[in-house]
Amino acid sequence: MHKRTTIVSLALIIAAAGGYVLYASIIGDVTQDSGSTQACTEEAKLCPDGSTVGRTGPNCEFAACPSPEIIFGKKAEELCGPQPPAECGPGTALGCYTKSKKWSCYPEMTGFDTSDWKTYRSEEYGFEVRYPQQWYKHEAELFLFLTPTSPEVITESPGINFVLKPLEGRTIQQSEDTINFDRECQPTIFGGRGATKCHPVISFAGESFTFIRMSDGQYLSIGDYLTSDLSGLILSTFKFTK
């Protein structure tokens, strides 16, 4: 009788240990899955070259600081050819945008003094964003474009655009069907709200997009065509006002 009791007790101990291992394995898988989809806060880190980077990845670590994307002087001439004869306004200088290899007037990257920045505010759509004094603003219905260059030709000007788009009964993923949301996007926090940030593999100049669902059957699409330069600091000033 004593021997049978010992065998039963041993079997119960083994079963309990096996159950704990299975439970720990399941909890570990769930933890890993939830960690891979956590939303990173929309913070900006100032890099030594004056650019900014945000948090990314499953651990929400700051991305590596990028190489400058607007360069000046001899480095610009080595990449983009001789500097064209042109005069720029106060606080700006001729520089080369490395992705398109085009010369234009850009704010001089001597530091980020935001004290004189302009503020764009939309009462109708309930958001505001600040941008440098030397930048240009192009505004149309449901559309805002901020650029460091003259925006006569919008498609050729690097900058940041804000576009309100109708959902029409679809999801954002269905509306933006050229982007692979499973591989190219991750959840984030933008302007204090949940958002999705995407870095398309196929892009014109390494641009990124942020999508935010609005409460009126629309979503806000924010395209950063400068990426990781002064634009990071500009986007960090974005906030909803209602």
Side-chain angles (χ1 to χ4, degrees):
M1 180 67 178
H2 177 71
K3 183 175 181 180
R4 179 180 298 175
T5 302
T6 302
I7 293 174
V8 171
S9 299
L10 183 59
L12 289 173
I13 292 172
I14 294 174
Y20 175 78
V21 171
L22 179 60
Y23 171 79
S25 175
I26 294 173
I27 292 298
D29 290 342
V30 170
T31 303
Q32 289 179 357
D33 288 343
S34 62
S36 65
T37 58
Q38 76 175 53
C40 301
T41 56
E42 195 77 5
E43 297 177 274
K45 181 181 80 171
L46 188 62
C47 294
D49 64 352
S51 64
T52 57
V53 293
R55 295 185 180 275
T56 186
N59 297 322
C60 289
E61 297 175 342
F62 281 113
C65 286
S67 301
E69 295 180 355
I70 299 174
I71 54 179
F72 302 88
K74 291 184 178 180
K75 288 186 177 180
E77 290 189 331
E78 290 174 1
L79 178 67
C80 304
Q83 181 171 305
E87 293 186 4
C88 297
T92 64
L94 273 173
C96 171
Y97 182 47
T98 58
K99 294 179 179 179
S100 63
K101 298 183 179 180
K102 291 183 178 181
W103 289 92
S104 190
C105 293
Y106 296 97
E108 294 180 281
M109 301 298 178
T110 55
F112 292 120
D113 179 8
T114 64
S115 60
D116 65 345
W117 278 23
K118 302 175 185 177
T119 299
Y120 171 84
R121 184 182 180 94
S122 171
E123 297 293 346
E124 183 177 2
Y125 301 112
F127 70 84
E128 69 176 40
V129 62
R130 301 184 67 211
Y131 60 100
Q133 183 75 24
Q134 299 85 7
W135 277 44
Y136 297 85
K137 176 190 70 176
H138 178 84
E139 189 176 4
E141 186 179 3
L142 307 182
F143 177 83
L144 170 68
F145 185 65
L146 303 176
T147 175
T149 65
S150 183
E152 282 86 4
V153 184
I154 295 297
T155 56
E156 294 183 4
S157 299
I160 308 170
N161 67 24
F162 302 80
V163 186
L164 274 166
K165 301 180 180 181
L167 283 170
E168 298 177 338
R170 297 174 296 178
T171 64
I172 294 177
Q173 290 89 335
Q174 291 169 335
S175 301
E176 301 288 341
D177 56 5
T178 61
I179 296 177
N180 187 322
F181 277 75
D182 292 330
R183 297 182 180 180
E184 300 172 349
C185 305
Q186 63 182 17
T188 187
I189 303 297
F190 188 85
R193 296 187 185 181
T196 301
K197 189 167 187 177
C198 304
H199 295 272
V201 174
I202 300 176
S203 62
F204 173 70
E207 60 267 21
S208 68
F209 297 92
T210 301
F211 303 109
I212 308 165
R213 188 184 183 103
M214 309 295 276
S215 59
D216 53 0
Q218 296 178 315
Y219 68 99
L220 180 62
S221 170
I222 302 172
D224 181 358
Y225 293 87
L226 284 173
T227 57
S228 301
D229 213 325
L230 181 58
S231 59
L233 187 57
I234 293 171
L235 290 175
S236 72
T237 71
F238 180 96
K239 65 179 181 180
F240 289 100
T241 57
K242 68 177 182 179

